[in-house]
Amino acid sequence: MSDQHLEEQEMEAEALAAIFDTAFELRSSEQPFVWAVKLVPVDCGDDTDEEEAANHVMVKLTATIPLDYPEESLPELDLEILKGLSEDNKKELLDLANEEAEANAGMPAIFAVCEAVRTWLADNNVKGLDDASMHAQMMRKAKDAERKEAQAAQQFESQKKNEKMSQAEEEEMSVRKRREEGTPVTDATFSDWWAKFSAEVEQVKADEKAAAMEDSKDKKNALAAVIEERLTGFQIFSDKAGVFNLEKLEAAAEELENDTSALDPEELGDVDEELFDDDEDLDDLEFDSDDDDEEDSDEEPDI
């Protein structure tokens, strides 16, 4: 025995007392410890009347704890029938308890054993299990067979449902399996991967190039449309000055040049003839020449 074994056993006893409360009993406080747990199908707390009515079977599990438990030894288990069970049931339950203890060898196992026994009690919580008559035994066997058949059918349906996996689920499982197992890197696998990777890269580049060309084409078309819709200088001037027809203007000018007919004086109205007097001599008019201006500018001012 070591201090480590003692500490583990004390800690397990504290945990069992916290879980089962008053149903847990410490029969021996000195090593080897002896623990006892009352097990019922339906836990009714401290209400004994309700517990008696709801539970048709009850047992008390007793465990004697070896000094080197749990690392090296298994607990010594025993069962005490409290209600509704026969000796055959006791033997069956005790075998179940020992199997559960062996399944949890090397670690604290009492709670797991208690749960296995309690589950069996819950599945067999019926009256008359302690009746040793032939009729009662036949009825119990029939019920056991019916229960086992129902369990087998349930397991079959569950297995059948699991087998009906969709293709997507199978692919997902396959992918997960490959990820877990991994793919060995060899020359062949790397070459395959590199070929696929290179093809994907080239495809991406080709797609980007095609998209760029399409975008450039769209921009050119948009620019051509803008240029086509843009007004010329003549159109802008015409919009501001009013639309006019050059051909009509040229035709009118040519008609005026070719028109040699004399003007009717009556159409001209009153004319001031003095404006056209030929007697006035324009030579008498004096004009300052540019040379005089330059000479005047060259003279030095008097100081």
Side-chain angles (χ1 to χ4, degrees):
M1 182 192 70
S2 65
D3 294 338
Q4 182 179 357
H5 292 152
L6 176 61
E7 184 179 359
E8 289 183 358
Q9 293 173 14
E10 290 177 346
M11 291 177 62
E12 185 175 2
E14 291 178 2
L16 292 173
I19 295 171
F20 294 104
D21 197 16
T22 57
F24 176 76
E25 179 184 355
L26 182 61
R27 290 188 174 180
S28 175
S29 58
E30 296 180 357
Q31 290 186 312
F33 298 124
V34 179
W35 303 333
V37 183
K38 180 182 178 181
L39 300 172
V40 296
V42 183
D43 186 10
C44 301
D46 296 332
D47 193 338
T48 55
D49 294 337
E50 184 178 355
E51 181 182 272
E52 188 68 23
N55 296 296
H56 304 292
V57 290
M58 298 181 190
V59 297
K60 180 170 285 190
L61 175 69
T62 303
T64 302
I65 307 301
L67 299 180
D68 53 0
Y69 167 87
E71 279 78 6
E72 300 178 12
S73 301
L74 296 176
E76 299 176 6
L77 304 177
D78 193 11
L79 279 174
E80 178 184 353
I81 298 175
L82 300 180
K83 182 181 180 181
L85 295 175
S86 65
E87 289 298 323
D88 293 337
N89 298 140
K90 176 182 177 179
K91 184 178 181 303
E92 182 180 355
L93 268 176
L94 192 56
D95 292 341
L96 176 64
N98 286 318
E99 289 177 2
E100 190 66 26
E102 291 178 0
N104 290 271
M107 55 185 174
I110 302 304
F111 176 75
V113 172
C114 292
E115 281 298 296
V117 173
R118 192 197 63 79
T119 301
W120 188 95
L121 294 175
D123 293 339
N124 296 273
N125 188 25
V126 293
K127 294 181 179 181
L129 291 181
D130 54 346
D131 189 352
S133 64
M134 293 295 295
H135 176 72
Q137 292 180 8
M138 290 177 62
M139 293 298 294
R140 285 196 295 270
K141 289 180 179 180
K143 288 183 179 180
D144 289 343
E146 183 179 353
R147 184 176 65 254
K148 290 179 181 179
E149 184 178 355
Q151 291 177 351
Q154 185 177 2
Q155 291 178 356
F156 176 76
E157 290 296 329
S158 177
Q159 183 178 2
K160 185 177 179 181
K161 183 178 180 180
N162 292 334
E163 289 177 354
K164 289 183 178 180
M165 298 176 63
S166 64
Q167 184 177 0
E169 291 174 337
E170 291 179 357
E171 292 178 355
E172 183 178 359
M173 291 295 294
S174 178
V175 170
R176 289 182 179 180
K177 186 177 180 180
R178 288 198 301 270
R179 287 177 179 174
E180 292 175 356
E181 295 177 354
T183 302
V185 180
T186 62
D187 292 341
T189 57
F190 180 78
S191 299
D192 293 341
W193 173 84
W194 180 252
K196 292 179 181 179
F197 177 76
S198 300
E200 291 177 358
V201 171
E202 292 299 327
Q203 183 62 39
V204 171
K205 290 182 178 179
D207 294 341
E208 291 178 352
K209 184 177 180 181
M213 292 179 63
E214 187 67 24
D215 185 52
S216 176
K217 183 178 179 181
D218 293 340
K219 288 182 179 179
K220 289 181 179 179
N221 293 336
L223 180 61
V226 171
I227 294 175
E228 184 178 355
E229 295 176 358
R230 187 172 59 185
L231 297 176
T232 63
F234 173 74
Q235 291 173 330
I236 295 173
F237 179 77
S238 299
D239 290 341
K240 290 182 178 180
V243 179
F244 55 89
N245 194 322
L246 288 178
E247 294 181 356
K248 290 184 179 181
L249 292 176
E250 292 175 355
E254 184 177 357
E255 183 179 354
L256 288 174
E257 291 178 357
N258 298 329
D259 188 6
T260 58
S261 59
L263 295 176
D264 187 359
E266 294 181 359
E267 293 180 357
L268 296 176
D270 296 335
V271 178
D272 189 358
E273 296 181 357
E274 294 181 357
L275 294 176
F276 304 96
D277 188 1
D278 295 334
D279 296 336
E280 185 177 355
D281 188 3
L282 297 179
D283 295 335
D284 295 339
L285 297 177
E286 295 182 358
F287 297 95
D288 294 334
S289 65
D290 294 338
D291 296 337
D292 294 339
D293 293 338
E294 292 179 358
E295 291 177 359
D296 292 341
S297 61
D298 292 337
E299 294 179 359
E300 295 182 2
D302 295 336
I303 300 175

